[in-house]
Amino acid sequence: AQKVTQAQTEISVVEKEDVTLDCVYETRDTTYYLFWYKQPPSGELVFLIRRNSFDEQNEISGRYSWNFQKSTSSFNFTITASQVVDSAVYFCALSEPYGNNRLAFGKGNQVVVIP
Amino acid sequence: ETGVTQSPTHLIKTRGQQVTLRCSSQSGHNTVSWYQQALGQGPQFIFQYYREEENGRGNFPPRFSGLQFPNYSSELNVNALELDDSALYLCASSFRVSGADTGELFFGEGSRLTVL
């Protein structure tokens, strides 16, 4: 069975600080996809990234960066120089193999950025 | 804006009633998935529809059922509502070709169901 663990439930940071969200996953599959989504108070899940299990390169997109380490089954997410608009719940998710987008989500990290 | 639209946005039902939630997928997408998100939890996969047929189901009882229409829109039906069915129901769409989803999964804003 697939499982995603996001241990930190709520994280508060002062604006301009960096914040790192940890994601640890469990799967027996050798092929899978990992995702991060942002959920603002409106409820919609906003797609941030999808990563193939064969691609272990780290990725940076603006103030966002991701560190994928297959050896430790982790896919951590860092927001650099946080802003108030980053306040949201962030979910890490794992899909079944063959890219069919049936996701197993973690419980999420509530990020509060204090001005 | 993702293009996935859901209706209604909020509704209140009583135990034992039935509810239908609707979802229009993003233009060009042919696969629809439904998720249930209880308060303070991550979304849980209910089922997925592709080519108007159920194509995978999570750990939900048969009283949760769905449909996909030729225009790829979808409905989620829940019969005999229970208090624990109170949640945000999220619809997501994606594009599948040759049996594999090609990329991102786009979510709508959800339908918040309260069961009294």
mmCIF file of all heavy atoms in Angstrom, chain A residues 12-39:
data_model
loop_
_atom_site.group_PDB
_atom_site.id
_atom_site.type_symbol
_atom_site.label_atom_id
_atom_site.label_comp_id
_atom_site.label_asym_id
_atom_site.label_seq_id
_atom_site.Cartn_x
_atom_site.Cartn_y
_atom_site.Cartn_z
ATOM 1 N N SER A 12 4.841 27.965 11.429
ATOM 2 C CA SER A 12 4.739 29.427 11.349
ATOM 3 C C SER A 12 6.123 30.018 11.090
ATOM 4 O O SER A 12 7.094 29.627 11.750
ATOM 5 C CB SER A 12 4.177 29.999 12.655
ATOM 6 O OG SER A 12 2.845 29.588 12.843
ATOM 7 N N VAL A 13 6.189 30.924 10.151
ATOM 8 C CA VAL A 13 7.447 31.590 9.847
ATOM 9 C C VAL A 13 7.187 33.082 9.678
ATOM 10 O O VAL A 13 6.071 33.494 9.340
ATOM 11 C CB VAL A 13 8.102 31.041 8.568
ATOM 12 C CG1 VAL A 13 8.497 29.586 8.742
ATOM 13 C CG2 VAL A 13 7.208 31.220 7.372
ATOM 14 N N VAL A 14 8.218 33.853 9.904
ATOM 15 C CA VAL A 14 8.130 35.286 9.673
ATOM 16 C C VAL A 14 8.449 35.535 8.201
ATOM 17 O O VAL A 14 9.309 34.863 7.612
ATOM 18 C CB VAL A 14 9.100 36.050 10.591
ATOM 19 C CG1 VAL A 14 9.081 37.549 10.270
ATOM 20 C CG2 VAL A 14 8.754 35.789 12.055
ATOM 21 N N GLU A 15 7.762 36.482 7.639
ATOM 22 C CA GLU A 15 7.959 36.805 6.223
ATOM 23 C C GLU A 15 9.443 36.955 5.917
ATOM 24 O O GLU A 15 10.203 37.505 6.711
ATOM 25 C CB GLU A 15 7.221 38.105 5.903
ATOM 26 C CG GLU A 15 6.929 38.312 4.429
ATOM 27 C CD GLU A 15 6.007 39.494 4.189
ATOM 28 O OE1 GLU A 15 5.881 40.344 5.102
ATOM 29 O OE2 GLU A 15 5.435 39.576 3.091
ATOM 30 N N LYS A 16 9.825 36.452 4.762
ATOM 31 C CA LYS A 16 11.183 36.457 4.219
ATOM 32 C C LYS A 16 12.042 35.314 4.743
ATOM 33 O O LYS A 16 13.160 35.116 4.233
ATOM 34 C CB LYS A 16 11.889 37.801 4.426
ATOM 35 C CG LYS A 16 11.193 38.951 3.706
ATOM 36 C CD LYS A 16 11.977 40.243 3.831
ATOM 37 C CE LYS A 16 11.218 41.384 3.158
ATOM 38 N NZ LYS A 16 11.915 42.684 3.326
ATOM 39 N N GLU A 17 11.567 34.586 5.715
ATOM 40 C CA GLU A 17 12.290 33.396 6.145
ATOM 41 C C GLU A 17 12.035 32.265 5.150
ATOM 42 O O GLU A 17 11.044 32.256 4.425
ATOM 43 C CB GLU A 17 11.838 32.950 7.533
ATOM 44 C CG GLU A 17 12.316 33.829 8.667
ATOM 45 C CD GLU A 17 11.906 33.272 10.016
ATOM 46 O OE1 GLU A 17 10.984 32.432 10.081
ATOM 47 O OE2 GLU A 17 12.518 33.683 11.018
ATOM 48 N N ASP A 18 12.941 31.289 5.162
ATOM 49 C CA ASP A 18 12.744 30.097 4.351
ATOM 50 C C ASP A 18 11.961 29.062 5.158
ATOM 51 O O ASP A 18 12.059 29.012 6.394
ATOM 52 C CB ASP A 18 14.086 29.487 3.945
ATOM 53 C CG ASP A 18 14.914 30.423 3.078
ATOM 54 O OD1 ASP A 18 14.363 31.446 2.590
ATOM 55 O OD2 ASP A 18 16.116 30.132 2.891
ATOM 56 N N VAL A 19 11.219 28.227 4.478
ATOM 57 C CA VAL A 19 10.494 27.159 5.161
ATOM 58 C C VAL A 19 10.620 25.883 4.333
ATOM 59 O O VAL A 19 10.475 25.915 3.107
ATOM 60 C CB VAL A 19 9.010 27.535 5.402
ATOM 61 C CG1 VAL A 19 8.298 27.911 4.118
ATOM 62 C CG2 VAL A 19 8.277 26.417 6.111
ATOM 63 N N THR A 20 10.916 24.782 5.005
ATOM 64 C CA THR A 20 11.051 23.484 4.343
ATOM 65 C C THR A 20 10.006 22.524 4.868
ATOM 66 O O THR A 20 9.846 22.373 6.085
ATOM 67 C CB THR A 20 12.460 22.896 4.553
ATOM 68 O OG1 THR A 20 13.419 23.731 3.893
ATOM 69 C CG2 THR A 20 12.546 21.493 3.951
ATOM 70 N N LEU A 21 9.296 21.891 3.952
ATOM 71 C CA LEU A 21 8.251 20.938 4.290
ATOM 72 C C LEU A 21 8.746 19.537 3.951
ATOM 73 O O LEU A 21 9.175 19.284 2.823
ATOM 74 C CB LEU A 21 6.979 21.260 3.500
ATOM 75 C CG LEU A 21 6.500 22.714 3.591
ATOM 76 C CD1 LEU A 21 5.233 22.887 2.766
ATOM 77 C CD2 LEU A 21 6.285 23.133 5.036
ATOM 78 N N ASP A 22 8.670 18.651 4.926
ATOM 79 C CA ASP A 22 9.178 17.292 4.731
ATOM 80 C C ASP A 22 8.078 16.363 4.242
ATOM 81 O O ASP A 22 6.924 16.432 4.689
ATOM 82 C CB ASP A 22 9.733 16.747 6.049
ATOM 83 C CG ASP A 22 10.921 17.551 6.552
ATOM 84 O OD1 ASP A 22 11.644 18.119 5.712
ATOM 85 O OD2 ASP A 22 11.114 17.618 7.781
ATOM 86 N N CYS A 23 8.444 15.471 3.347
ATOM 87 C CA CYS A 23 7.513 14.469 2.834
ATOM 88 C C CYS A 23 8.263 13.149 2.730
ATOM 89 O O CYS A 23 9.287 13.069 2.047
ATOM 90 C CB CYS A 23 6.976 14.882 1.467
ATOM 91 S SG CYS A 23 5.990 13.609 0.647
ATOM 92 N N VAL A 24 7.740 12.141 3.396
ATOM 93 C CA VAL A 24 8.326 10.805 3.318
ATOM 94 C C VAL A 24 7.247 9.873 2.793
ATOM 95 O O VAL A 24 6.099 9.938 3.220
ATOM 96 C CB VAL A 24 8.804 10.339 4.710
ATOM 97 C CG1 VAL A 24 9.294 8.891 4.645
ATOM 98 C CG2 VAL A 24 9.906 11.249 5.220
ATOM 99 N N TYR A 25 7.609 9.016 1.865
ATOM 100 C CA TYR A 25 6.605 8.167 1.250
ATOM 101 C C TYR A 25 7.005 6.695 1.342
ATOM 102 O O TYR A 25 8.177 6.372 1.539
ATOM 103 C CB TYR A 25 6.381 8.577 -0.210
ATOM 104 C CG TYR A 25 7.606 8.458 -1.080
ATOM 105 C CD1 TYR A 25 7.870 7.291 -1.791
ATOM 106 C CD2 TYR A 25 8.510 9.512 -1.195
ATOM 107 C CE1 TYR A 25 8.994 7.177 -2.578
ATOM 108 C CE2 TYR A 25 9.645 9.408 -1.974
ATOM 109 C CZ TYR A 25 9.882 8.240 -2.670
ATOM 110 O OH TYR A 25 11.004 8.128 -3.441
ATOM 111 N N GLU A 26 5.999 5.845 1.183
ATOM 112 C CA GLU A 26 6.225 4.395 1.167
ATOM 113 C C GLU A 26 5.506 3.820 -0.040
ATOM 114 O O GLU A 26 4.323 4.116 -0.266
ATOM 115 C CB GLU A 26 5.656 3.732 2.431
ATOM 116 C CG GLU A 26 6.312 4.157 3.731
ATOM 117 C CD GLU A 26 5.620 3.543 4.933
ATOM 118 O OE1 GLU A 26 5.020 2.451 4.796
ATOM 119 O OE2 GLU A 26 5.656 4.161 6.025
ATOM 120 N N THR A 27 6.201 3.000 -0.784
ATOM 121 C CA THR A 27 5.589 2.315 -1.909
ATOM 122 C C THR A 27 6.422 1.101 -2.264
ATOM 123 O O THR A 27 7.632 1.096 -2.065
ATOM 124 C CB THR A 27 5.459 3.241 -3.133
ATOM 125 O OG1 THR A 27 4.856 2.523 -4.207
ATOM 126 C CG2 THR A 27 6.812 3.773 -3.595
ATOM 127 N N ARG A 28 5.763 0.078 -2.788
ATOM 128 C CA ARG A 28 6.474 -1.111 -3.246
ATOM 129 C C ARG A 28 6.781 -1.003 -4.736
ATOM 130 O O ARG A 28 7.498 -1.833 -5.289
ATOM 131 C CB ARG A 28 5.635 -2.360 -3.007
ATOM 132 C CG ARG A 28 5.369 -2.656 -1.550
ATOM 133 C CD ARG A 28 4.487 -3.880 -1.395
ATOM 134 N NE ARG A 28 4.153 -4.121 0.008
ATOM 135 C CZ ARG A 28 3.310 -5.059 0.420
ATOM 136 N NH1 ARG A 28 2.725 -5.840 -0.459
ATOM 137 N NH2 ARG A 28 3.051 -5.219 1.695
ATOM 138 N N ASP A 29 6.219 0.013 -5.370
ATOM 139 C CA ASP A 29 6.403 0.149 -6.801
ATOM 140 C C ASP A 29 7.761 0.778 -7.117
ATOM 141 O O ASP A 29 8.269 1.602 -6.353
ATOM 142 C CB ASP A 29 5.287 1.025 -7.385
ATOM 143 C CG ASP A 29 3.922 0.424 -7.119
ATOM 144 O OD1 ASP A 29 3.742 -0.768 -7.406
ATOM 145 O OD2 ASP A 29 3.054 1.154 -6.614
ATOM 146 N N THR A 30 8.308 0.403 -8.252
ATOM 147 C CA THR A 30 9.566 1.000 -8.678
ATOM 148 C C THR A 30 9.330 2.213 -9.564
ATOM 149 O O THR A 30 10.214 3.049 -9.727
ATOM 150 C CB THR A 30 10.426 -0.028 -9.443
ATOM 151 O OG1 THR A 30 9.656 -0.549 -10.530
ATOM 152 C CG2 THR A 30 10.841 -1.166 -8.525
ATOM 153 N N THR A 31 8.136 2.284 -10.129
ATOM 154 C CA THR A 31 7.758 3.438 -10.950
ATOM 155 C C THR A 31 6.583 4.137 -10.287
ATOM 156 O O THR A 31 5.577 3.495 -9.997
ATOM 157 C CB THR A 31 7.358 2.992 -12.365
ATOM 158 O OG1 THR A 31 8.432 2.302 -12.969
ATOM 159 C CG2 THR A 31 6.987 4.202 -13.206
ATOM 160 N N TYR A 32 6.723 5.402 -10.069
ATOM 161 C CA TYR A 32 5.647 6.165 -9.429
ATOM 162 C C TYR A 32 5.892 7.646 -9.687
ATOM 163 O O TYR A 32 6.934 8.036 -10.209
ATOM 164 C CB TYR A 32 5.591 5.887 -7.920
ATOM 165 C CG TYR A 32 6.927 6.001 -7.206
ATOM 166 C CD1 TYR A 32 7.367 7.226 -6.693
ATOM 167 C CD2 TYR A 32 7.754 4.889 -7.056
ATOM 168 C CE1 TYR A 32 8.594 7.328 -6.060
ATOM 169 C CE2 TYR A 32 8.988 4.990 -6.423
ATOM 170 C CZ TYR A 32 9.399 6.204 -5.928
ATOM 171 O OH TYR A 32 10.613 6.312 -5.305
ATOM 172 N N TYR A 33 4.894 8.453 -9.324
ATOM 173 C CA TYR A 33 5.024 9.904 -9.440
ATOM 174 C C TYR A 33 4.780 10.536 -8.078
ATOM 175 O O TYR A 33 3.974 10.053 -7.290
ATOM 176 C CB TYR A 33 4.004 10.457 -10.439
ATOM 177 C CG TYR A 33 4.330 10.143 -11.871
ATOM 178 C CD1 TYR A 33 3.915 8.954 -12.463
ATOM 179 C CD2 TYR A 33 5.067 11.044 -12.650
ATOM 180 C CE1 TYR A 33 4.220 8.658 -13.775
ATOM 181 C CE2 TYR A 33 5.365 10.751 -13.965
ATOM 182 C CZ TYR A 33 4.943 9.565 -14.513
ATOM 183 O OH TYR A 33 5.251 9.275 -15.823
ATOM 184 N N LEU A 34 5.462 11.622 -7.839
ATOM 185 C CA LEU A 34 5.293 12.408 -6.621
ATOM 186 C C LEU A 34 4.811 13.801 -6.984
ATOM 187 O O LEU A 34 5.227 14.363 -7.992
ATOM 188 C CB LEU A 34 6.620 12.501 -5.855
ATOM 189 C CG LEU A 34 7.123 11.173 -5.286
ATOM 190 C CD1 LEU A 34 8.602 11.262 -4.960
ATOM 191 C CD2 LEU A 34 6.328 10.809 -4.048
ATOM 192 N N PHE A 35 3.951 14.341 -6.147
ATOM 193 C CA PHE A 35 3.339 15.633 -6.415
ATOM 194 C C PHE A 35 3.413 16.511 -5.167
ATOM 195 O O PHE A 35 3.455 16.017 -4.040
ATOM 196 C CB PHE A 35 1.837 15.471 -6.737
ATOM 197 C CG PHE A 35 1.508 14.674 -7.953
ATOM 198 C CD1 PHE A 35 1.625 13.293 -7.948
ATOM 199 C CD2 PHE A 35 1.039 15.301 -9.098
ATOM 200 C CE1 PHE A 35 1.297 12.535 -9.064
ATOM 201 C CE2 PHE A 35 0.697 14.551 -10.223
ATOM 202 C CZ PHE A 35 0.828 13.180 -10.199
ATOM 203 N N TRP A 36 3.363 17.805 -5.396
ATOM 204 C CA TRP A 36 3.071 18.769 -4.344
ATOM 205 C C TRP A 36 1.929 19.662 -4.838
ATOM 206 O O TRP A 36 1.929 20.099 -5.991
ATOM 207 C CB TRP A 36 4.278 19.641 -4.001
ATOM 208 C CG TRP A 36 5.204 19.012 -3.004
ATOM 209 C CD1 TRP A 36 6.333 18.283 -3.261
ATOM 210 C CD2 TRP A 36 5.081 19.064 -1.578
ATOM 211 N NE1 TRP A 36 6.920 17.875 -2.088
ATOM 212 C CE2 TRP A 36 6.170 18.344 -1.031
ATOM 213 C CE3 TRP A 36 4.176 19.666 -0.696
ATOM 214 C CZ2 TRP A 36 6.380 18.192 0.347
ATOM 215 C CZ3 TRP A 36 4.370 19.518 0.668
ATOM 216 C CH2 TRP A 36 5.458 18.793 1.180
ATOM 217 N N TYR A 37 0.964 19.895 -3.922
ATOM 218 C CA TYR A 37 -0.153 20.785 -4.195
ATOM 219 C C TYR A 37 -0.249 21.820 -3.076
ATOM 220 O O TYR A 37 0.069 21.541 -1.927
ATOM 221 C CB TYR A 37 -1.475 20.019 -4.240
ATOM 222 C CG TYR A 37 -1.718 19.284 -5.530
ATOM 223 C CD1 TYR A 37 -1.251 17.979 -5.708
ATOM 224 C CD2 TYR A 37 -2.420 19.890 -6.575
ATOM 225 C CE1 TYR A 37 -1.476 17.306 -6.897
ATOM 226 C CE2 TYR A 37 -2.649 19.218 -7.766
ATOM 227 C CZ TYR A 37 -2.176 17.929 -7.912
ATOM 228 O OH TYR A 37 -2.401 17.265 -9.091
ATOM 229 N N LYS A 38 -0.754 22.997 -3.446
ATOM 230 C CA LYS A 38 -1.036 24.060 -2.489
ATOM 231 C C LYS A 38 -2.546 24.218 -2.399
ATOM 232 O O LYS A 38 -3.238 24.246 -3.422
ATOM 233 C CB LYS A 38 -0.395 25.369 -2.971
ATOM 234 C CG LYS A 38 -0.744 26.602 -2.157
ATOM 235 C CD LYS A 38 -0.095 27.845 -2.765
ATOM 236 C CE LYS A 38 -0.448 29.096 -1.987
ATOM 237 N NZ LYS A 38 0.172 30.312 -2.589
ATOM 238 N N GLN A 39 -3.068 24.319 -1.174
ATOM 239 C CA GLN A 39 -4.497 24.523 -0.986
ATOM 240 C C GLN A 39 -4.736 25.799 -0.191
ATOM 241 O O GLN A 39 -4.633 25.821 1.028
ATOM 242 C CB GLN A 39 -5.151 23.329 -0.282
ATOM 243 C CG GLN A 39 -6.671 23.414 -0.242
ATOM 244 C CD GLN A 39 -7.309 22.170 0.330
ATOM 245 O OE1 GLN A 39 -6.851 21.631 1.330
ATOM 246 N NE2 GLN A 39 -8.377 21.689 -0.309
#
